[in-house]
Amino acid sequence: MTGRTALRLRLRLPAPWSYINPMTEDERWMESALREAEQAKKRKEVPVGAVIVHGGKIIGRGYNQIELLQDPTAHAEMIAITAAAAGLGSRRFDGCTLYVTLEPCAMCAGAIVLARIPRLVFGASDPKAGACGTLFNIVQDARLNHRVELAGGISGDQCGALLSEFFASMRQSGNGGKD
């Protein structure tokens, strides 16, 4: 076999990295939101995390802090929106995408509309409070002055598993998850 034939044979073999299923950009950013959710879990909060991305950078991040702050509005999305507004120096979020591990509730969906966030990506659907397609679809309601591009189910199994494990642990501990 000549050197030229050997080279051709080597080129026909699939590259080792071709077996890897590359993550989409949305999945990569959702990984950051999942890390935020892990922070909530460590603090015995419902593990929901959110990040807001603008120009390829995270400009706001948050995780649920309802119990810590004793504030029913301290949802991951609300904290991320507040942080991003401070970073942008604006209440309008042109060119931003919000990634959150759980479908936003009505309060958060309303805040997303008011912030004019153009795109929302969420992981797990919320059958009890989801206001972005499950129970309601506030972010795409034609009666409002802003509609959001919506992508649901991104890393949904992973996001849902984190929540399921948390609530199973709460039930098992018998103390509502508090030590």
Side-chain angles (χ1 to χ4, degrees):
M1 183 175 343
T2 67
R4 189 173 213 156
T5 306
L7 177 62
R8 197 174 344 176
L9 290 174
R10 272 188 260 135
L11 292 177
R12 288 185 185 160
L13 294 174
W17 59 87
S18 68
Y19 296 111
I20 298 171
N21 184 12
M23 293 176 83
T24 66
E25 184 176 352
D26 285 344
E27 289 169 331
R28 282 196 305 274
W29 291 119
M30 189 61 75
E31 286 291 320
S32 295
L34 278 161
R35 283 193 291 277
E36 292 298 314
E38 288 289 344
Q39 292 300 311
K41 182 180 174 186
K42 287 179 187 174
R43 291 162 176 78
K44 298 191 183 328
E45 297 275 358
V46 175
V48 177
V51 297
I52 298 177
V53 176
H54 181 265
K57 295 180 194 167
I58 294 174
I59 60 166
R61 61 179 73 236
Y63 56 85
N64 276 2
Q65 297 181 46
I66 296 163
E67 297 298 330
L68 173 70
L69 300 175
Q70 288 298 293
D71 179 355
T73 69
H75 290 200
E77 302 94 308
M78 301 297 279
I79 292 168
I81 287 170
T82 299
L88 285 172
S90 176
R91 65 182 181 87
R92 302 252 175 135
F93 286 61
D94 296 330
C96 293
T97 299
L98 168 60
Y99 294 88
V100 61
T101 57
L102 180 65
E103 178 183 0
C105 69
M107 174 185 67
C108 294
I112 291 164
V113 169
L114 291 173
R116 309 291 198 277
I117 295 174
R119 187 162 183 263
L120 167 66
V121 178
F122 68 84
S125 294
D126 187 347
K128 294 185 178 182
C132 297
T134 300
L135 295 178
F136 312 103
N137 194 349
I138 293 171
V139 297
Q140 293 184 327
D141 191 316
R143 296 170 294 178
L144 301 176
N145 63 352
H146 176 74
R147 277 161 293 295
V148 177
E149 178 187 334
L150 192 57
I154 305 299
S155 304
D157 290 343
Q158 193 176 357
C159 294
L162 182 62
L163 287 158
S164 294
E165 290 166 12
F166 174 79
F167 287 115
S169 169
M170 280 180 52
R171 285 188 296 275
Q172 189 175 34
S173 72
N175 65 0
K178 304 294 172 211
D179 289 316

